[in-house]
Amino acid sequence: MSSLDLLQKEWVVLTENSAWYEAAEKVNAKVNCQLRVVRVGKDVKVDDVATWRKSFGLGATGATLIRPDGYVAWRAAAISDKPEQDLFHALSKVSFAR
């Protein structure tokens, strides 16, 4: 799958950690834009996970929020104890979501 096909259509949370999926579902219920979660290793495969993490500035539990135009809007190097709150706060800062 091309990165253009993967990222340039909607808001995307890119992560290896499925806890971000649950957080995104809860945020989707609160805001007027929809997040799609793409799980690396599950939904998409990468050749080298370590290189992927380094490229995005993430650890194994981190996540990045990609804008519909393909730019990185936000990242968390590691998951906190409140990923839903973190994701909601980030999205409200970089979009019109309220």
Side-chain angles (χ1 to χ4, degrees), residues 57-86:
L58 302 176
T61 65
T64 188
L65 177 63
I66 310 294
R67 296 183 335 198
D69 61 1
Y71 285 89
V72 172
W74 169 85
R75 75 175 48 105
I79 197 166
S80 74
D81 58 340
K82 297 178 183 175
E84 175 189 349
Q85 180 179 326
D86 296 342

Side-chain angles (χ1 to χ4, degrees), residues 31-68:
V31 299
N32 60 354
C33 71
Q34 293 296 298
L35 299 170
R36 180 170 59 102
V37 177
V38 175
R39 292 170 289 186
V40 173
K42 202 166 225 183
D43 301 322
V44 296
K45 305 290 183 202
V46 294
D47 291 333
D48 182 358
V49 174
T51 300
W52 177 82
R53 287 179 188 159
K54 185 176 180 182
S55 297
F56 280 90
L58 302 176
T61 65
T64 188
L65 177 63
I66 310 294
R67 296 183 335 198

